[in-house]
Every structure is written in C-alpha cells, then in structure tokens.
C-alpha cells in the first residue's frame, strides 16, 4: 500500500482554492491512552482540522515545551509503542479519510529501521513525517524510502535559518514546510510575532521552484492568532493548545469535547483571516 502524500497535497491545495489557510492539529499518540488519543484526533477532524500530526512520544522532546512533555510522559508511562502510533494513524485515517502525519524525532526511527517504519506508516495510510531534528544533509536514506512509499518529508525551518539553508530544505522536502514562528520550544504565546511572516516570505522566495506550502506552528492557541497567521501562511499548526484542553479537562470525555470545540474555534479563525 502506498502512503498518502497526494491526499496531503490535495488537502492543502483545496484549502488554498477556498481562499484560506489549512488547519493542522497536533496530538500525541497514547495520550491519555491509545484509545483516548484516537478519539481525540477524530474529534479534532470533526471540529474542522484539515490535517492532523500524530506525535510519537519521546523521552527527550527537545522542541517541545512543558505541556507536550507532560502528555508525552503520560503516554510513555502508559507503555505506548511505535505499533500504537501506527494503529493511531490507521484508525484515524480509516475513520476520516483525511491526511494524518507522524511527528517524530529521528532516534526512534533510526532504532526501529527506516525501511520498516516507512513501510508500516504507508500501510497504515499515513501521509508522511515531520522530522524536526533530522538535518537535511543527513536525510538521503529517509527520503529514499519515504519517496518509495509515497510519504511526505516535512522539514522544520526557524527564524535563524539562512536563505541558503531555506533553499536546501525546500528543495529536499515534500508535502509542506513547517515554519517555526519563533526560537524556542512549543507552547502557547500571547502573540505569534512579525518574524513568522518574514520567515514565511523568505521560505517562499527560497523555495520558489519547489512551490511547497509553508505552514506556521509554535505559539498559536486561539482563533484570533489563527486568523493572524492565516493571513500570510498556507497552514496554521496548533499543538499545545489542544493538549492543554485534554490536560485541563476533568475526564477523558470532556477532554475530547474540548478538542472538538477548540478545532471548531480555530477553523473559524483560519476562515476569517486577520
């Protein structure tokens, strides 16, 4: 079975054709449980998310702030395995028919085996992977197998990325480019900042030949911020705010409803644009 990179591309193009940014939600697998995580992801789609990133919980998530670290810790203490991540992708894709990516650090893939990981992700109906700590110059093996299995390779760029680096990343990546709106870890912010818009513009110029959508994450937590980012980016990525809804809820059912409600608010935000 081939992966779903084309579904991802079509979804992002469809949002653009509607004159809006895509809403991309992030939730970790296995949080609060494997079944509970699957229900939360389905709720995000029900609420209006176009794409979901499934986090592969990691014991040293260097890009992630305290909210996602807490969720990862709960998932790891619950015994989550890569097989559970694949099951999460498979069940949410089969239930919704929408693109599901995995966001993971490189070490778990390296230990699991690149060929095995890409084959299983494609078999599960996954659309690709976001790899925040894989240097593009060391990514040839991954990209070879991802391409063979029709999976997107999404690299992360930051405000510190030089133009030559942006050109290299956009040439090597596929699906979209993940633009980190600020230097630092994930988490909600009072404002997303002007440097995010500058990064999007520089990435587009650097990757003019690749024509990859540029989606912005880190810091977006409400409809107003989503509308602001939707004014200049192709996609709005929200993670910590969804996880926080789950953590703050009195029980798992309320957490799932909180995710659905937040997705609805953010979906309205990306449609109105600031």
């Amino acid at each position: 079975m081939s992966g779903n990179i084309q579904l991802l591309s079509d979804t992002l193009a469809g949002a653009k054709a509607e004159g809006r940014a895509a809403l991309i939600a992030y939730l970790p697998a296995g949080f609060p449980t494997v079944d509970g995580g699957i229900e939360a992801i389905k709720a995000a789609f029900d609420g209006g998310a176009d794409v979901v990133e499934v986090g592969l919980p990691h014991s040293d998530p260097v890009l992630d702030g305290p909210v996602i670290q807490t969720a990862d810790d709960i998932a790891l203490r619950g015994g989550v395995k890569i097989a559970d991540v694949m099951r999460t992708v498979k069940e949410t894709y089969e239930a919704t028919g929408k693109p599901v990516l995995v966001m993971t650090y490189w070490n778990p893939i390296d230990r699991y085996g690149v060929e095995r990981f890409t084959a299983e992700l494609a078999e599960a109906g996954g659309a690709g992977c976001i790899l925040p700590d894989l240097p593009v110059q060391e990514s040839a093996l991954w990209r070879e197998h991802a391409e063979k299995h029709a999976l997107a390779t999404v690299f992360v760029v930051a405000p510190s990325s030089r133009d030559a680096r942006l050109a290299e990343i956009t040439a090597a990546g596929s699906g979209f480019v993940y633009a980190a709106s600020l230097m630092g870890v994930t988490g909600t912010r009072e404002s997303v900042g002007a440097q995010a818009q500058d990064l999007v513009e520089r990435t587009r110029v650097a990757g003019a030949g690749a024509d990859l959508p540029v989606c912005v994450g880190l810091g977006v937590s409400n409809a107003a911020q989503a509308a602001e980012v939707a004014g200049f980016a192709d996609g709005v990525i929200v993670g910590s705010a969804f996880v926080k809804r789950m953590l703050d809820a009195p029980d798992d059912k309320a957490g799932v409803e909180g995710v659905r409600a937040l997705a609805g608010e953010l979906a309205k935000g990306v449609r109105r644009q600031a």
Side-chain angles (χ1 to χ4, degrees):
M1 179 176 173
S2 293
N4 271 313
I5 186 174
Q6 192 60 53
L7 176 62
L8 174 64
S9 297
D10 290 347
T11 299
L12 294 172
K16 185 176 182 179
E18 293 176 14
R20 66 174 179 88
L23 174 59
I24 302 173
Y26 166 95
L27 284 159
F31 167 70
T33 62
V34 176
D35 289 340
I38 290 169
E39 290 308 308
I41 293 166
K42 289 179 185 176
F45 276 128
D46 287 346
D50 299 290
V51 180
V52 168
E53 304 170 10
V54 175
L56 194 161
H58 195 273
S59 57
D60 185 26
V62 293
L63 185 71
D64 295 309
V67 170
I68 290 175
Q69 285 183 21
T70 298
D72 278 4
D73 185 57
I74 290 168
L76 290 168
R77 283 191 283 112
V80 70
K81 300 286 192 293
I82 287 179
D84 298 312
V85 177
M86 297 299 178
R87 180 187 149 210
T88 299
V89 171
K90 180 180 175 66
E91 292 195 14
T92 51
Y93 166 65
E94 289 180 347
T96 65
K98 294 181 179 179
V100 184
L101 297 142
V102 169
M103 186 166 188
T104 179
Y105 297 96
W106 179 246
N107 180 258
I109 294 177
D110 192 38
R111 290 174 64 89
Y112 198 71
V114 175
E115 169 59 27
R116 180 184 177 194
F117 190 94
T118 51
E120 289 183 8
L121 182 56
E123 184 65 29
C129 253
I130 301 166
L131 301 160
D133 66 341
L134 177 63
V136 65
Q137 65 270 23
E138 297 175 17
S139 66
L141 177 65
W142 164 267
R143 287 188 286 123
E144 174 192 340
H145 288 289
E147 188 173 340
K148 181 171 78 171
H149 292 290
L151 297 169
T153 298
V154 179
F155 291 112
V156 178
V157 298
S160 60
S161 301
R162 297 174 182 264
D163 291 349
R165 178 79 169 164
L166 295 176
E168 187 180 13
I169 286 172
T170 51
S174 55
F176 64 91
V177 178
Y178 186 126
S181 66
L182 40 77
M183 301 303 293
V185 297
T186 58
T188 61
R189 301 292 195 281
E190 290 300 316
S191 64
V192 179
Q195 62 183 353
Q197 184 168 359
D198 176 67
L199 177 58
V200 169
E201 290 169 357
R202 290 198 299 118
T203 304
R204 284 180 176 148
V205 170
D211 199 29
L212 281 181
V214 183
C215 304
V216 170
L218 273 70
V220 178
S221 61
N222 58 49
Q225 290 174 335
E228 177 191 352
V229 173
F232 57 82
D234 299 299
V236 180
I237 303 169
V238 182
S240 295
F242 281 112
V243 175
K244 194 170 188 304
R245 288 284 178 108
M246 297 282 287
L247 287 170
D248 290 348
D251 55 53
D252 292 353
K253 183 178 179 181
V256 168
E257 289 309 312
V259 165
R260 182 179 285 107
L262 178 59
E265 295 163 20
L266 294 165
K268 290 177 183 174
V270 301
R271 283 164 172 80
R272 73 168 186 252
Q273 301 187 10

